[in-house]
């Protein structure tokens, strides 16, 4: 398993699309991604739209219900959360969710997981948020339960946060299901990735990528793992259009903050930026989202046509 070119769908607010047709637009994006060379389709595991993308009252679909439905609408792309909030499900239930997705998709599930960070969701939905240290203790305990369950083992575990006894996980269709960690923490997240993960999605500013890559290498060496066995990806927002004039038109309604978070330009310009600032800096795969234009027919296809040559 690896993610060379992923397409994340982070936004379910589509102008002039009523709720009863909302998922049709989601399916259309996933199918367009699959047809244009993306190897993975990902959705967020959130209950509210995130700050910077919209307001809390905007539509947000539940992650694993969405992925299960997309499994029946696609045939080749891997399917994952980017990333599951560990705090939202107890570990054996999460293992069951992901394994069921793997069965439904005929072996295309990835467990994307992180410690969780959106405090308002926890408060509003009644989940314990705790401290930063609490959340990473919980994540490490969860991985000690979920990872063996994804391999078909029946772990028993008694920790500070979780306890399970001979937790079975059937049916399964593969010997194991790959695990992707997502985050930016050079000490905690990267250490857990070196110990448990098949893939790491690094979250940071593009200028910080070389430092993150070196930190990951150090964590792998400390864990006795060859860094070459842990592929990486980087999530970025993209806005690509055929002409500079069209790019300017698409950027015009965005706030200055939103413009600063997106890699925008013609295909050649977007490809140049992502090659130089991400891939040449040591990241092995790209995951993009297109929150402002991804629902428009043809937008995902153009992005795939632009980026697929960069990742082979």
């Amino acid at each position: 398993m690896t993610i060379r070119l992923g397409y994340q769908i982070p936004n379910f607010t589509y102008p002039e699309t009523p709720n009863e047709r909302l998922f049709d637009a989601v399916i259309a994006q996933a199918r367009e991604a699959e047809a244009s060379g993306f190897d993975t389709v990902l959705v967020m595991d959130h209950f509210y739209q995130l700050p910077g993308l919209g307001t809390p009252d905007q539509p947000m679909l539940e992650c694993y219900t969405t992925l299960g439905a997309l499994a029946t609408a696609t045939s080749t792309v891997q399917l994952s959360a980017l990333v599951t909030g560990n705090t939202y499900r107890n570990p054996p239930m999460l293992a069951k969710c992901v394994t069921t997705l793997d069965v439904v998709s005929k072996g295309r599930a990835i467990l994307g997981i992180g410690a969780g960070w959106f405090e308002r969701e926890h408060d509003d939905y009644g989940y314990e948020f705790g401290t930063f240290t609490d959340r990473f203790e919980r994540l490490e305990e969860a991985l000690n339960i979920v990872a063996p369950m994804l391999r078909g083992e029946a772990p028993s575990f008694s920790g500070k946060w979780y306890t399970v006894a001979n937790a079975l996980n059937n049916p399964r269709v593969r010997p194991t299901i790959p695990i992707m960690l997502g985050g930016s923490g050079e000490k905690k997240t990267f250490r857990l990735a070196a110990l448990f993960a098949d893939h790491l999605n690094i979250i940071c500013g593009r200028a910080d990528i070389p430092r993150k890559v070196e930190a990951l290498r150090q964590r792998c060496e400390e864990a006795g793992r060859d860094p070459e066995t842990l592929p990486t990806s980087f999530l970025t927002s993209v806005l690509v259009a055929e002409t500079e004039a069209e790019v300017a038109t698409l950027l015009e309604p965005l706030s200055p903050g939103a413009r600063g978070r997106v890699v925008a330009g013609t295909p050649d310009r977007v490809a140049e930026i992502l090659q130089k600032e991400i891939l040449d800096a040591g990241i092995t795969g790209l995951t993009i989202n297109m929150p402002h234009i991804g629902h428009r027919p043809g937008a995902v296809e153009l992005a795939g046509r632009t980026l697929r040559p960069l990742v082979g």
Side-chain angles (χ1 to χ4, degrees):
M1 164 266 174
T2 191
I3 298 173
R4 297 288 288 164
L5 187 60
Y7 179 66
Q8 185 206 39
I9 305 173
N11 179 33
F12 304 107
T13 300
Y14 308 132
E16 301 179 1
T17 301
N19 283 345
E20 59 266 25
R21 296 214 312 271
L22 186 155
F23 197 65
D24 295 340
V26 178
I27 289 174
Q29 290 176 73
R31 286 176 170 168
E32 195 169 311
E34 184 172 70
S36 57
F38 289 88
D39 55 52
T40 310
V41 170
L42 312 99
V43 299
M44 299 197 301
D45 185 26
H46 286 291
F47 311 131
Y48 296 159
Q49 183 54 277
L50 303 187
L53 288 177
T55 57
D57 60 319
Q58 290 179 334
M60 181 56 59
L61 298 177
E62 192 281 321
C63 170
Y64 283 99
T65 309
T66 302
L67 290 171
L70 287 177
T72 68
T74 58
S75 58
T76 62
V77 286
Q78 300 173 114
L79 298 164
S80 180
L82 186 60
V83 285
T84 307
N86 176 62
T87 46
Y88 296 143
R89 301 165 189 82
N90 84 325
M93 183 63 201
L94 176 59
K96 177 63 73 173
C97 288
V98 176
T99 306
T100 299
L101 175 63
D102 206 50
V103 172
V104 172
S105 66
K106 298 180 173 61
R108 294 185 281 132
I110 297 169
L111 169 59
I113 190 169
W117 64 269
F118 196 174
E119 187 170 4
R120 177 172 175 177
E121 288 183 332
H122 292 75
D123 292 344
D124 287 7
Y125 274 61
Y127 291 102
E128 182 179 359
F129 188 62
T131 66
F132 179 82
T133 298
D134 290 341
R135 294 193 300 280
F136 274 92
E137 287 179 351
R138 293 172 69 175
L139 177 59
E140 183 163 3
E141 287 193 12
L143 287 166
N144 275 287
I145 296 167
V146 175
M149 289 183 70
L150 297 184
R151 296 192 297 266
E153 301 170 18
S156 294
F157 182 90
S158 181
K160 176 180 178 181
W161 299 98
Y162 303 116
T163 299
V164 298
N166 301 311
L168 298 172
N169 188 28
N170 293 307
R172 298 180 309 113
V173 295
R174 288 192 285 176
T176 191
I177 294 171
I179 296 173
M180 170 179 65
L181 261 70
S184 61
E186 297 175 15
K187 294 181 178 180
K188 294 180 182 292
T189 299
F190 289 12
R191 181 183 71 85
L192 292 178
L195 293 173
F196 291 99
D198 302 285
H199 189 96
L200 174 65
N201 181 260
I202 295 176
I203 300 170
C204 64
R206 297 197 299 276
D208 295 329
I209 290 174
R211 189 185 81 246
K212 298 294 183 181
V213 169
E214 178 56 30
L216 179 60
R217 178 172 294 275
Q218 292 175 12
R219 298 295 89 76
C220 285
E221 291 173 353
E222 291 163 5
R225 179 173 182 173
D226 180 357
E228 299 302 318
T229 67
L230 182 54
T232 54
S233 56
F234 184 84
L235 174 66
T236 187
S237 294
V238 165
L239 192 156
V240 59
E242 295 285 8
T243 67
E244 292 286 0
E246 188 178 358
V247 172
T249 298
L250 293 171
L251 285 173
E252 196 277 330
L254 304 187
S255 68
R259 294 182 194 181
R261 290 189 294 271
V262 66
V263 176
T266 60
D268 287 346
R269 179 58 178 155
V270 168
E272 178 186 13
I273 293 171
L274 298 185
Q275 179 69 55
K276 180 179 179 180
E277 298 187 12
I278 298 175
L279 298 174
D280 290 350
I283 300 293
T284 57
L286 297 170
T287 295
I288 69 159
N289 60 36
M290 306 175 74
H292 310 291
I293 64 169
H295 62 284
R296 300 183 180 186
V300 177
E301 188 278 331
L302 177 58
R305 179 158 35 99
T306 299
L307 302 180
R308 187 68 208 177
L310 303 184
V311 295

